[in-house]
Short mmCIF file of all heavy atoms in Angstrom, two decimals:
data_model
loop_
_atom_site.label_atom_id
_atom_site.label_comp_id
_atom_site.label_asym_id
_atom_site.label_seq_id
_atom_site.Cartn_x
_atom_site.Cartn_y
_atom_site.Cartn_z
N GLU U 145 -36.41 28.12 6.36
CA GLU U 145 -35.88 26.78 6.17
C GLU U 145 -36.80 25.96 5.26
O GLU U 145 -38.03 26.08 5.34
CB GLU U 145 -35.75 26.06 7.52
CG GLU U 145 -34.79 26.71 8.51
CD GLU U 145 -35.45 27.76 9.38
OE1 GLU U 145 -36.62 28.14 9.08
OE2 GLU U 145 -34.82 28.21 10.35
N PRO U 146 -36.24 25.13 4.39
CA PRO U 146 -37.09 24.28 3.56
C PRO U 146 -37.76 23.21 4.42
O PRO U 146 -37.25 22.86 5.49
CB PRO U 146 -36.10 23.65 2.57
CG PRO U 146 -34.79 23.66 3.29
CD PRO U 146 -34.81 24.91 4.13
N PRO U 147 -38.89 22.68 3.97
CA PRO U 147 -39.54 21.61 4.74
C PRO U 147 -38.62 20.41 4.90
O PRO U 147 -37.78 20.13 4.03
CB PRO U 147 -40.76 21.25 3.89
CG PRO U 147 -40.99 22.45 3.02
CD PRO U 147 -39.63 23.03 2.75
N TYR U 148 -38.76 19.71 6.00
CA TYR U 148 -38.03 18.46 6.15
C TYR U 148 -38.51 17.46 5.10
O TYR U 148 -39.69 17.42 4.76
CB TYR U 148 -38.26 17.86 7.54
CG TYR U 148 -37.52 18.57 8.65
CD1 TYR U 148 -38.20 19.37 9.56
CD2 TYR U 148 -36.14 18.41 8.81
CE1 TYR U 148 -37.53 20.01 10.60
CE2 TYR U 148 -35.47 19.05 9.84
CZ TYR U 148 -36.17 19.85 10.73
OH TYR U 148 -35.51 20.48 11.75
N ALA U 149 -37.59 16.66 4.60
CA ALA U 149 -37.94 15.66 3.61
C ALA U 149 -38.68 14.48 4.22
O ALA U 149 -39.35 13.72 3.51
CB ALA U 149 -36.67 15.16 2.90
N TYR U 150 -38.58 14.35 5.54
CA TYR U 150 -39.21 13.23 6.23
C TYR U 150 -40.11 13.76 7.34
O TYR U 150 -39.75 14.71 8.03
CB TYR U 150 -38.15 12.29 6.82
CG TYR U 150 -37.25 11.68 5.76
CD1 TYR U 150 -36.10 12.35 5.33
CD2 TYR U 150 -37.57 10.47 5.15
CE1 TYR U 150 -35.28 11.81 4.34
CE2 TYR U 150 -36.76 9.93 4.17
CZ TYR U 150 -35.62 10.60 3.76
OH TYR U 150 -34.83 10.06 2.78
N PRO U 151 -41.29 13.17 7.52
CA PRO U 151 -42.25 13.70 8.50
C PRO U 151 -41.77 13.51 9.93
O PRO U 151 -40.96 12.63 10.23
CB PRO U 151 -43.51 12.88 8.23
CG PRO U 151 -43.00 11.58 7.66
CD PRO U 151 -41.80 11.96 6.84
N ALA U 152 -42.27 14.35 10.81
CA ALA U 152 -41.91 14.27 12.22
C ALA U 152 -42.28 12.91 12.80
O ALA U 152 -43.29 12.30 12.41
CB ALA U 152 -42.62 15.38 13.01
N VAL U 153 -41.48 12.44 13.71
CA VAL U 153 -41.77 11.18 14.39
C VAL U 153 -42.96 11.41 15.32
O VAL U 153 -43.00 12.37 16.09
CB VAL U 153 -40.55 10.69 15.19
CG1 VAL U 153 -40.88 9.38 15.91
CG2 VAL U 153 -39.35 10.51 14.26
N ARG U 154 -43.92 10.52 15.25
CA ARG U 154 -45.14 10.68 16.03
C ARG U 154 -44.87 10.46 17.52
O ARG U 154 -44.07 9.60 17.91
CB ARG U 154 -46.21 9.70 15.56
CG ARG U 154 -46.66 9.92 14.12
CD ARG U 154 -47.49 8.76 13.60
NE ARG U 154 -47.70 8.88 12.15
CZ ARG U 154 -48.06 7.86 11.38
NH1 ARG U 154 -48.27 6.66 11.91
NH2 ARG U 154 -48.22 8.04 10.08
N ASN U 155 -45.56 11.24 18.34
CA ASN U 155 -45.42 11.11 19.78
C ASN U 155 -46.16 9.87 20.29
O ASN U 155 -47.26 9.56 19.82
CB ASN U 155 -46.00 12.33 20.49
CG ASN U 155 -45.25 13.61 20.17
OD1 ASN U 155 -44.04 13.60 20.01
ND2 ASN U 155 -45.98 14.72 20.11
N ASP U 156 -45.56 9.20 21.26
CA ASP U 156 -46.29 8.17 21.99
C ASP U 156 -47.38 8.84 22.82
O ASP U 156 -47.30 10.05 23.12
CB ASP U 156 -45.34 7.40 22.91
CG ASP U 156 -44.45 6.43 22.15
OD1 ASP U 156 -44.70 6.21 20.95
OD2 ASP U 156 -43.50 5.90 22.76
N PRO U 157 -48.42 8.12 23.22
CA PRO U 157 -49.53 8.74 23.95
C PRO U 157 -49.10 9.52 25.18
O PRO U 157 -49.61 10.61 25.44
CB PRO U 157 -50.42 7.55 24.31
CG PRO U 157 -50.16 6.55 23.22
CD PRO U 157 -48.71 6.71 22.89
N GLY U 158 -48.15 8.99 25.94
CA GLY U 158 -47.70 9.69 27.14
C GLY U 158 -47.01 11.00 26.83
O GLY U 158 -47.15 11.98 27.57
N VAL U 159 -46.27 11.04 25.73
CA VAL U 159 -45.60 12.27 25.32
C VAL U 159 -46.62 13.26 24.78
O VAL U 159 -46.50 14.48 25.01
CB VAL U 159 -44.50 11.97 24.27
CG1 VAL U 159 -43.85 13.26 23.78
CG2 VAL U 159 -43.45 11.05 24.87
N ASP U 160 -47.63 12.78 24.09
CA ASP U 160 -48.70 13.66 23.63
C ASP U 160 -49.41 14.32 24.80
O ASP U 160 -49.77 15.51 24.74
CB ASP U 160 -49.70 12.87 22.79
CG ASP U 160 -49.63 13.25 21.30
OD1 ASP U 160 -49.05 14.31 20.98
OD2 ASP U 160 -50.15 12.48 20.48
N ARG U 161 -49.61 13.57 25.88
CA ARG U 161 -50.26 14.15 27.07
C ARG U 161 -49.38 15.25 27.67
O ARG U 161 -49.87 16.29 28.10
CB ARG U 161 -50.55 13.07 28.11
CG ARG U 161 -51.70 12.16 27.74
CD ARG U 161 -52.21 11.37 28.95
NE ARG U 161 -51.18 10.51 29.51
CZ ARG U 161 -50.93 9.27 29.10
NH1 ARG U 161 -51.65 8.75 28.11
NH2 ARG U 161 -49.98 8.55 29.67
N LEU U 162 -48.06 15.01 27.69
CA LEU U 162 -47.14 16.03 28.20
C LEU U 162 -47.17 17.26 27.30
O LEU U 162 -47.15 18.40 27.78
CB LEU U 162 -45.73 15.45 28.30
CG LEU U 162 -44.64 16.43 28.75
CD1 LEU U 162 -44.95 16.97 30.15
CD2 LEU U 162 -43.28 15.74 28.74
N LYS U 163 -47.20 17.04 26.00
CA LYS U 163 -47.26 18.15 25.05
C LYS U 163 -48.49 19.02 25.32
O LYS U 163 -48.40 20.26 25.39
CB LYS U 163 -47.29 17.61 23.62
CG LYS U 163 -47.36 18.68 22.52
CD LYS U 163 -47.28 18.01 21.15
CE LYS U 163 -47.28 19.04 20.02
NZ LYS U 163 -48.60 19.66 19.85
N MET U 164 -49.64 18.38 25.49
CA MET U 164 -50.87 19.14 25.77
C MET U 164 -50.79 19.85 27.12
O MET U 164 -51.29 20.96 27.29
CB MET U 164 -52.08 18.21 25.69
CG MET U 164 -52.40 17.74 24.28
SD MET U 164 -53.94 16.78 24.16
CE MET U 164 -53.44 15.25 24.99
N HIS U 165 -50.14 19.20 28.09
CA HIS U 165 -49.97 19.81 29.41
C HIS U 165 -49.14 21.09 29.29
O HIS U 165 -49.49 22.13 29.89
CB HIS U 165 -49.30 18.81 30.34
CG HIS U 165 -48.98 19.35 31.70
ND1 HIS U 165 -49.94 19.51 32.68
CD2 HIS U 165 -47.81 19.79 32.24
CE1 HIS U 165 -49.37 20.01 33.77
NE2 HIS U 165 -48.09 20.18 33.53
N TRP U 166 -48.06 21.04 28.54
CA TRP U 166 -47.23 22.24 28.35
C TRP U 166 -47.97 23.30 27.55
O TRP U 166 -47.88 24.49 27.83
CB TRP U 166 -45.92 21.86 27.67
CG TRP U 166 -44.90 21.31 28.63
CD1 TRP U 166 -44.86 21.49 29.98
CD2 TRP U 166 -43.78 20.49 28.30
NE1 TRP U 166 -43.77 20.83 30.52
CE2 TRP U 166 -43.09 20.22 29.52
CE3 TRP U 166 -43.28 19.96 27.12
CZ2 TRP U 166 -41.93 19.45 29.57
CZ3 TRP U 166 -42.13 19.19 27.16
CH2 TRP U 166 -41.46 18.94 28.38
N GLU U 167 -48.72 22.89 26.53
CA GLU U 167 -49.47 23.85 25.72
C GLU U 167 -50.51 24.57 26.57
O GLU U 167 -50.79 25.77 26.34
CB GLU U 167 -50.13 23.14 24.54
CG GLU U 167 -49.13 22.72 23.46
CD GLU U 167 -49.76 21.87 22.37
OE1 GLU U 167 -50.83 21.26 22.62
OE2 GLU U 167 -49.19 21.80 21.27
N SER U 168 -51.07 23.88 27.55
CA SER U 168 -52.06 24.53 28.42
C SER U 168 -51.43 25.63 29.27
O SER U 168 -52.15 26.48 29.80
CB SER U 168 -52.72 23.48 29.33
OG SER U 168 -51.80 23.01 30.32
N GLN U 169 -50.09 25.61 29.38
CA GLN U 169 -49.36 26.64 30.12
C GLN U 169 -48.82 27.74 29.20
O GLN U 169 -48.07 28.61 29.64
CB GLN U 169 -48.22 26.00 30.91
CG GLN U 169 -48.67 24.95 31.91
CD GLN U 169 -47.51 24.27 32.62
OE1 GLN U 169 -46.58 24.94 33.07
NE2 GLN U 169 -47.55 22.96 32.73
N GLY U 170 -49.19 27.66 27.93
CA GLY U 170 -48.74 28.66 26.97
C GLY U 170 -47.43 28.32 26.29
O GLY U 170 -46.91 29.14 25.51
N TRP U 171 -46.88 27.14 26.55
CA TRP U 171 -45.64 26.74 25.88
C TRP U 171 -45.95 26.28 24.46
O TRP U 171 -47.09 25.94 24.12
CB TRP U 171 -44.97 25.61 26.65
CG TRP U 171 -44.43 26.00 28.00
CD1 TRP U 171 -44.77 27.09 28.74
CD2 TRP U 171 -43.48 25.26 28.77
NE1 TRP U 171 -44.08 27.09 29.94
CE2 TRP U 171 -43.28 25.98 29.98
CE3 TRP U 171 -42.78 24.08 28.56
CZ2 TRP U 171 -42.40 25.53 30.96
CZ3 TRP U 171 -41.90 23.63 29.54
CH2 TRP U 171 -41.71 24.36 30.73
N ARG U 172 -44.87 26.25 23.63
CA ARG U 172 -45.01 25.81 22.24
C ARG U 172 -44.07 24.65 21.94
O ARG U 172 -43.11 24.79 21.17
CB ARG U 172 -44.72 27.00 21.31
CG ARG U 172 -45.73 28.13 21.40
CD ARG U 172 -45.23 29.38 20.71
NE ARG U 172 -44.11 29.99 21.44
CZ ARG U 172 -43.44 31.06 21.02
NH1 ARG U 172 -43.75 31.62 19.87
NH2 ARG U 172 -42.45 31.55 21.74
N PRO U 173 -44.31 23.49 22.54
CA PRO U 173 -43.45 22.33 22.26
C PRO U 173 -43.57 21.91 20.80
O PRO U 173 -44.62 22.09 20.16
CB PRO U 173 -44.00 21.26 23.20
CG PRO U 173 -45.40 21.68 23.50
CD PRO U 173 -45.41 23.17 23.46
N PHE U 174 -42.49 21.35 20.28
CA PHE U 174 -42.47 20.97 18.87
C PHE U 174 -41.75 19.64 18.71
O PHE U 174 -41.12 19.13 19.65
CB PHE U 174 -41.77 22.05 18.03
CG PHE U 174 -40.34 22.30 18.43
CD1 PHE U 174 -39.29 21.63 17.81
CD2 PHE U 174 -40.04 23.22 19.43
CE1 PHE U 174 -37.97 21.87 18.18
CE2 PHE U 174 -38.73 23.46 19.80
CZ PHE U 174 -37.69 22.78 19.18
N SER U 175 -41.83 19.09 17.52
CA SER U 175 -41.25 17.77 17.25
C SER U 175 -39.73 17.85 17.20
O SER U 175 -39.17 18.67 16.45
CB SER U 175 -41.79 17.22 15.93
OG SER U 175 -43.18 17.02 16.00
N LEU U 176 -39.07 17.02 17.96
CA LEU U 176 -37.62 16.95 17.97
C LEU U 176 -37.14 16.39 16.64
O LEU U 176 -37.58 15.32 16.21
CB LEU U 176 -37.17 16.04 19.12
CG LEU U 176 -35.69 15.96 19.46
CD1 LEU U 176 -35.22 17.27 20.07
CD2 LEU U 176 -35.44 14.81 20.43
N PRO U 177 -36.24 17.09 15.91
CA PRO U 177 -35.74 16.56 14.64
C PRO U 177 -34.81 15.37 14.88
O PRO U 177 -33.81 15.48 15.57
CB PRO U 177 -34.98 17.75 14.04
CG PRO U 177 -34.63 18.63 15.19
CD PRO U 177 -35.70 18.44 16.21
N LEU U 178 -35.18 14.24 14.31
CA LEU U 178 -34.47 12.98 14.58
C LEU U 178 -34.00 12.33 13.28
O LEU U 178 -34.75 12.25 12.30
CB LEU U 178 -35.38 12.00 15.33
CG LEU U 178 -35.77 12.40 16.75
CD1 LEU U 178 -36.81 11.42 17.30
CD2 LEU U 178 -34.56 12.44 17.66
N ALA U 179 -32.77 11.83 13.30
CA ALA U 179 -32.17 11.19 12.14
C ALA U 179 -32.30 9.67 12.27
O ALA U 179 -31.41 8.99 12.80
CB ALA U 179 -30.70 11.59 12.01
N VAL U 180 -33.41 9.16 11.80
CA VAL U 180 -33.68 7.72 11.89
C VAL U 180 -34.29 7.24 10.58
O VAL U 180 -34.99 8.00 9.89
CB VAL U 180 -34.63 7.38 13.07
CG1 VAL U 180 -33.91 7.53 14.40
CG2 VAL U 180 -35.87 8.25 13.04
N ARG U 181 -34.06 5.99 10.26
CA ARG U 181 -34.63 5.38 9.05
C ARG U 181 -35.99 4.80 9.42
O ARG U 181 -36.14 3.59 9.60
CB ARG U 181 -33.69 4.32 8.49
CG ARG U 181 -32.36 4.90 8.01
CD ARG U 181 -31.43 3.82 7.47
NE ARG U 181 -30.21 4.42 6.92
CZ ARG U 181 -29.11 4.67 7.63
NH1 ARG U 181 -29.07 4.36 8.93
NH2 ARG U 181 -28.05 5.22 7.06
N LEU U 182 -36.96 5.68 9.51
CA LEU U 182 -38.27 5.32 10.03
C LEU U 182 -39.36 5.61 9.00
O LEU U 182 -39.39 6.68 8.40
CB LEU U 182 -38.56 6.12 11.32
CG LEU U 182 -39.96 5.98 11.93
CD1 LEU U 182 -40.18 4.56 12.46
CD2 LEU U 182 -40.15 7.01 13.04
N ASP U 183 -40.25 4.65 8.83
CA ASP U 183 -41.43 4.82 7.99
C ASP U 183 -42.63 4.35 8.79
O ASP U 183 -42.98 3.17 8.78
CB ASP U 183 -41.28 4.03 6.68
CG ASP U 183 -42.43 4.27 5.71
OD1 ASP U 183 -43.42 4.93 6.10
OD2 ASP U 183 -42.35 3.78 4.57
N GLU U 184 -43.24 5.28 9.51
CA GLU U 184 -44.33 4.90 10.40
C GLU U 184 -45.59 4.48 9.65
O GLU U 184 -46.44 3.78 10.22
CB GLU U 184 -44.65 6.05 11.36
CG GLU U 184 -43.53 6.31 12.36
CD GLU U 184 -43.90 7.31 13.43
OE1 GLU U 184 -43.72 8.52 13.19
OE2 GLU U 184 -44.35 6.88 14.52
N ASP U 185 -45.71 4.87 8.39
CA ASP U 185 -46.87 4.45 7.60
C ASP U 185 -46.73 3.02 7.10
O ASP U 185 -47.73 2.40 6.70
CB ASP U 185 -47.08 5.39 6.41
CG ASP U 185 -47.55 6.77 6.84
OD1 ASP U 185 -48.20 6.86 7.91
OD2 ASP U 185 -47.27 7.75 6.13
N HIS U 186 -45.50 2.51 7.11
CA HIS U 186 -45.26 1.14 6.65
C HIS U 186 -44.35 0.43 7.67
O HIS U 186 -43.18 0.16 7.40
CB HIS U 186 -44.61 1.15 5.26
CG HIS U 186 -45.41 1.87 4.22
ND1 HIS U 186 -45.23 3.22 3.96
CD2 HIS U 186 -46.41 1.45 3.40
CE1 HIS U 186 -46.08 3.59 3.01
NE2 HIS U 186 -46.81 2.54 2.66
N PRO U 187 -44.88 0.15 8.84
CA PRO U 187 -44.06 -0.41 9.92
C PRO U 187 -43.45 -1.76 9.60
O PRO U 187 -42.40 -2.11 10.16
CB PRO U 187 -45.04 -0.49 11.10
CG PRO U 187 -46.40 -0.50 10.48
CD PRO U 187 -46.29 0.34 9.25
N VAL U 188 -44.07 -2.53 8.73
CA VAL U 188 -43.54 -3.86 8.43
C VAL U 188 -42.19 -3.78 7.75
O VAL U 188 -41.29 -4.60 7.98
CB VAL U 188 -44.54 -4.66 7.56
CG1 VAL U 188 -43.92 -5.98 7.10
CG2 VAL U 188 -45.83 -4.92 8.33
N THR U 189 -42.00 -2.76 6.91
CA THR U 189 -40.74 -2.63 6.17
C THR U 189 -39.84 -1.53 6.71
O THR U 189 -38.75 -1.31 6.18
CB THR U 189 -41.03 -2.36 4.68
OG1 THR U 189 -41.89 -1.21 4.57
CG2 THR U 189 -41.70 -3.56 4.04
N SER U 190 -40.27 -0.81 7.73
CA SER U 190 -39.46 0.26 8.31
C SER U 190 -38.22 -0.31 8.99
O SER U 190 -38.32 -1.28 9.76
CB SER U 190 -40.29 1.05 9.32
OG SER U 190 -39.49 2.00 9.98
N ALA U 191 -37.06 0.30 8.73
CA ALA U 191 -35.84 -0.16 9.41
C ALA U 191 -35.93 0.14 10.90
O ALA U 191 -35.62 -0.71 11.75
CB ALA U 191 -34.63 0.53 8.81
N CYS U 192 -36.36 1.35 11.25
CA CYS U 192 -36.51 1.72 12.65
C CYS U 192 -37.83 1.19 13.18
O CYS U 192 -38.88 1.30 12.54
CB CYS U 192 -36.46 3.25 12.79
SG CYS U 192 -36.77 3.84 14.48
N ILE U 193 -37.78 0.60 14.38
CA ILE U 193 -38.99 0.07 15.00
C ILE U 193 -39.37 0.85 16.25
O ILE U 193 -40.20 0.41 17.03
CB ILE U 193 -38.80 -1.43 15.36
CG1 ILE U 193 -37.62 -1.61 16.32
CG2 ILE U 193 -38.61 -2.26 14.09
CD1 ILE U 193 -37.47 -3.03 16.86
#
Side-chain angles (χ1 to χ4, degrees):
E145 298 88 349
Y148 285 107
Y150 299 88
V153 179
R154 297 168 190 161
N155 296 325
D156 285 350
V159 177
D160 250 344
R161 286 196 299 273
L162 177 60
K163 180 176 183 287
M164 289 186 289
H165 176 77
W166 278 338
E167 287 173 338
S168 71
Q169 301 176 46
W171 292 19
R172 294 167 291 176
F174 60 93
S175 297
L176 188 69
L178 293 173
V180 288
R181 296 179 175 89
L182 174 67
D183 185 352
E184 292 188 273
D185 290 333
H186 303 91
V188 173
T189 54
S190 174
C192 175
I193 59 173

